[in-house]
Amino acid sequence: MFTTPGSSSFVEFLNVAAPQLLPGRRPLPAGYNADVTAHATTIVGITCEGGVVLAGDRRATMGNLIAQRDIEKVYAADAYSLVGMAGTAGIGLELIRLFQVELEHYEKIEGAMLSIDGKANRLATMVRNNLGAALQGLAAIPLFAGFDLHATDPAKAGRIFSFDVAGGVYEETGYDALGSGSIFARSALKKTYRPGLSVDDAVSRAVGALYDAADDDTATGGPDLIRNLYPIVWTATAEGSQRVPDEQVAEIARAEVEARRDNPVG
Amino acid sequence: MAMQFYASPEQIMRDRAEYARKNIGRGRSAVVMSYEGGVLFVAENLSTALHKVSEIYDRIGFAAVGRYNEFENLRTAGVRLADLRGYSYDRRDVTGRALANAYAQTLGSIFTEQPKPFEVEICVAEVGASPDSDELYRLTFDGTVQTEPGRLVIGGQSEAVATVVKDKHRPDLSLAEALAVAIEALGSVGGDGGNARDIPATQLEVAVLDRRRPGRTFRRITGAALTALLNGGKTDAAAAAAETPADVPVSPAPAKKDDPLPPAESGVGGAAAKDDSAAVDAVLDEIDADDDSSGDDKPSES
């Protein structure tokens, strides 16, 4: 099984070796089960000069309850790309974990990284595999962003891809948001986004957009000044995937809150 | 019906072993050894694309000699096994010992069941917190597995090469020193009239498992970084690396939340090596920079 010649894909290997480990391969009882698990909420992605920023709030909800206050929904997918998710938290986190191994596995077997479009298409296939569960209420959708090592124009090196449950993959221009608060986050970004933002500006606009999402969507968590919980923010640039230090995000988030005292609508 | 000639099991096994040994001995050797900052792999390799040394997992590396298609098959199997284990349990649960055992089983059954044994000799190395806790496993074509103390030589005229390595290797060597020992050992055989020879840098495949790194520790040393290191030029390397951007951390994440941390500096070789560690880091940073720019013109630089 391990020595059988095959593809460089970990998912395809699992399909043969251990199909029970794949999210889409588990039988589900009939019915619509959206309320049985925690739901992760809002993610925003913004392209900037020489890269891209991906940020997520910290809340997971179950119906009208807060399931978790400090969940992490944005991760580095590999050395040059980032992935975040919204929807059924368990499936979304499993999808991210599998995607990370998929990219690493390919890189180790082939000795080279997938292109960013290759990564996005691979992720789309993995989302599509969950279609059955998604239609029964257990949908999880990722937002994928990364630094394109093959880009010829530095202004277009940061790229963002969104997905749908059917496995559609759509490249977004400039910015995008995902999850329950995405309408508000996207509206905020529509007014604050400019092409060619610096990385720091993009980080603070992402935090601002998440504030706006939390302002109008109960399922999105705002900056939690009491518990010191602030959004998770990652950047992908020529220097690779890097998490913006918590202290720096905390500072930006506190400044955002301060600014809203004078002008609540931002 | 054709008449079957009788051959005793001893004879069959001897023939197979002889066949494998002969073909493995014909190639070039590879040297694996612990040094102060990790585990060093050095192989003589004419190809830059077909590797003899590669990454299996966070802290596990692989070196092989012999027939390429056969050890490539084993390498792929190792990556699959490690990734499957790491995915279904946790990244810390992937160990060199388990992998060496799996290889031993595979090679053992191929040796007895297949018409032809694999003509390979491989090394599985796991980098530990200190040179004392590094684990080096040697696996031969018949599934024999041996642990070796801090250094091993596989393939080619391995005994002659191993004599030099044994003579000069100490676990507290710096990276540049360890590389010099490895190259001297590899060059000690194969020259005209049994003399030593110089191996050009372009024919060396060099990689390390870097003890101090969290997450994936495997790094190839190529190009300018290798040249700098070969010149013993710790200063050169440091100077070169000073101009390169910071290294790329690879994601901590659900899968990688529990990355084994770079171990605390423990006594072994620690203090003595301190002076060199900056230079070694510089060289490794250089390698990262090298990786980053692999072939593609990055937009940031254009």
Side-chain angles (χ1 to χ4, degrees), chain B residues 33-117:
Chain B
M33 62 169 83
S34 287
Y35 69 97
E36 158 274 321
V39 173
L40 169 70
F41 301 85
V42 185
E44 244 186 288
N45 193 347
L46 296 175
S47 167
T48 51
L50 308 176
H51 296 300
K52 290 183 174 180
V53 173
S54 26
E55 171 184 18
I56 298 279
Y57 210 64
D58 288 352
R59 302 185 78 80
I60 303 173
F62 173 96
V65 293
R67 194 178 262 278
Y68 178 78
N69 68 319
E70 292 175 349
F71 69 67
E72 175 65 11
N73 181 269
L74 291 172
R75 181 188 75 90
T76 311
V79 172
R80 285 176 176 168
L81 181 71
D83 279 346
L84 178 60
R85 265 184 91 97
Y87 181 66
S88 35
Y89 303 118
D90 186 85
R91 293 189 82 86
R92 279 174 304 183
D93 298 315
V94 181
T95 61
R97 192 178 51 81
L99 196 66
N101 277 328
Y103 277 139
Q105 300 294 327
T106 307
L107 284 167
S109 59
I110 288 169
F111 182 71
T112 49
E113 289 162 18
Q114 303 288 321
K116 177 191 98 57

Side-chain angles (χ1 to χ4, degrees), chain A residues 7-262:
Chain A
S7 80
S8 310
S9 161
F10 183 65
V11 173
E12 280 169 31
F13 169 66
L14 277 190
N15 239 325
V16 178
Q20 75 281 2
L21 291 177
L22 287 174
R25 293 288 293 266
R26 289 184 283 252
L28 281 176
Y32 189 77
N33 304 303
D35 300 333
V36 301
T37 56
H39 276 232
T41 50
T42 312
I43 307 288
V44 299
I46 308 179
T47 59
C48 55
E49 188 63 44
V52 64
V53 171
L54 199 64
D57 74 312
R58 304 296 293 273
R59 184 169 290 180
T61 57
M62 253 170 102
N64 61 323
L65 300 178
I66 292 175
Q68 196 181 345
R69 292 176 198 283
D70 60 351
I71 189 172
E72 293 189 19
K73 300 180 273 192
V74 180
Y75 294 95
D78 68 1
Y80 288 99
S81 62
L82 314 169
V83 59
M85 59 86 195
T88 307
I91 290 181
L93 291 176
E94 188 180 5
L95 185 73
I96 291 179
R97 203 163 113 92
L98 187 58
F99 184 54
Q100 288 173 322
V101 180
E102 174 79 3
L103 297 184
E104 182 187 327
H105 188 81
Y106 181 94
E107 196 184 318
K108 285 193 289 199
I109 300 269
E110 296 285 321
M113 245 185 234
L114 274 169
S115 66
I116 190 163
D117 304 84
K119 291 174 195 173
N121 286 334
R122 201 59 231 165
L123 185 54
T125 312
M126 291 163 61
V127 174
R128 187 180 303 128
N129 288 339
N130 194 48
L131 180 58
L135 295 179
Q136 288 185 258
L138 301 176
I141 302 288
L143 188 63
F144 177 67
F147 176 80
D148 186 354
L149 287 160
H150 300 264
T152 44
D153 178 359
K156 291 180 181 156
R159 296 175 68 186
I160 300 177
F161 297 87
S162 67
F163 302 84
D164 65 28
V165 286
V169 47
Y170 312 97
E171 180 158 9
E172 305 291 340
T173 313
Y175 60 89
D176 194 38
L178 172 74
S180 61
S182 61
I183 305 171
F184 309 109
R186 212 179 285 124
S187 306
L189 288 174
K190 195 173 182 177
K191 297 295 175 199
T192 57
Y193 173 80
R194 302 283 174 275
L197 286 172
S198 71
V199 175
D200 287 346
D201 281 347
V203 170
S204 55
R205 276 162 216 223
V207 173
L210 286 173
Y211 186 101
D212 281 309
D215 208 19
D216 285 307
D217 170 36
T218 53
T220 304
D224 190 338
L225 303 171
I226 308 296
R227 296 183 184 80
N228 268 319
L229 297 174
Y230 302 101
I232 302 282
V233 188
W234 281 80
T235 61
T237 60
E239 272 91 59
S241 308
Q242 283 167 323
R243 181 162 164 177
V244 180
D246 289 350
E247 309 78 59
Q248 195 180 328
V249 179
E251 208 171 290
I252 295 168
R254 280 196 293 263
E256 186 72 36
V257 172
E258 220 34 62
R260 304 274 174 146
R261 276 189 215 285
D262 303 328

